[in-house]
Amino acid sequence: MATALIEPMTSEQLFRMPPNRKIDRWLWRGEIREAKVTKRNPGHAKTTISVGFNLKRWLLTRPSPRGGVYGGEAYFRIRKEPETNVGVDVALSYPEQELQTTGKSSFIDGPPLIAAEVLSPYDKKIQIDEMIEEYLDCGTPMVWIVDPRQKTLTIYRKDTEPIMYSGMQLMKDFPELPGFECPVNEMFE
């Protein structure tokens, strides 16, 4: 019996599908993935805003053209072959991406400079590990995993050990974020 080959789905095909308020959809290496939409708890929502605020505060100190800070599961197409697009809790885009993104865009093209995922009680470790690996493999320089329960922020980079910050530790000296300084506890206020 012959096995039928299924063509990978594209972002354009995904975004032509009728929206469903109960199902979240995204592409993972050309395959559609779906999950039940969950409501975010207060800790997740508050932390997401705080992370975005701190990145935006830094971004406004930078000369133009600037990147953008996105939240609320903003879609980024992080891989073109096969296509992978992900909804990021908080992301910092490159200036070039910001210039190419319009009000009619369905997604931001390319991996973000920073992808920050805020953990929720529904997240599974295997899914988080897979997501970190995919972001880094696709060229995202920094992935932040933010844990509102433990009040920690762990930074992942390709080919290096992760670094965990907590309490009053100062996050600074990142080549991607010149001049950025922030005590990690401010990410949870």
Side-chain angles (χ1 to χ4, degrees), residues 22-169:
K22 296 181 181 182
I23 300 291
D24 188 20
R25 296 183 181 118
W26 64 98
L27 285 180
W28 194 263
R29 297 181 183 176
E31 294 181 15
I32 191 166
R33 288 192 177 178
E34 296 181 332
K36 181 180 171 189
V37 172
T38 59
K39 297 213 184 296
R40 304 299 187 217
N41 67 25
H44 183 280
K46 182 179 176 184
T47 301
T48 300
I49 294 295
S50 293
V51 170
F53 170 79
N54 283 294
L55 285 171
K56 185 69 171 190
R57 180 173 55 187
W58 169 82
L59 185 65
L60 291 174
T61 69
R62 307 310 304 155
S64 292
R66 300 181 184 111
V69 176
Y70 291 88
E73 299 288 322
Y75 276 105
F76 279 75
R77 179 169 61 180
I78 62 173
R79 180 188 303 274
K80 289 186 179 179
E81 288 295 325
E83 287 200 43
T84 296
N85 65 41
V86 292
V88 188
D89 286 332
V90 180
L92 175 61
S93 69
Y94 289 94
E96 303 79 33
Q97 290 171 311
E98 192 66 11
L99 292 171
Q100 295 171 359
T101 304
T102 69
K104 294 182 180 183
S105 298
S106 298
F107 54 85
I108 297 126
D109 206 9
L113 177 62
I114 295 175
E117 293 294 342
V118 179
L119 298 181
S120 72
Y122 304 104
D123 290 325
K124 293 177 176 58
K125 183 175 179 354
I126 193 165
Q127 292 169 326
I128 297 299
D129 290 346
E130 181 183 49
M131 187 181 333
I132 293 166
E133 184 178 327
E134 187 72 1
Y135 279 130
L136 295 176
D137 190 49
C138 290
T140 302
M142 294 177 69
V143 179
W144 294 3
I145 300 299
V146 187
D147 187 338
R149 285 190 194 171
Q150 302 295 318
K151 298 198 180 321
T152 60
L153 188 151
T154 305
I155 296 179
Y156 294 82
R157 296 170 184 272
K158 195 167 185 82
D159 302 324
T160 64
E161 290 296 314
I163 300 172
M164 180 184 286
Y165 294 86
S166 64
M168 293 296 293
Q169 283 183 291

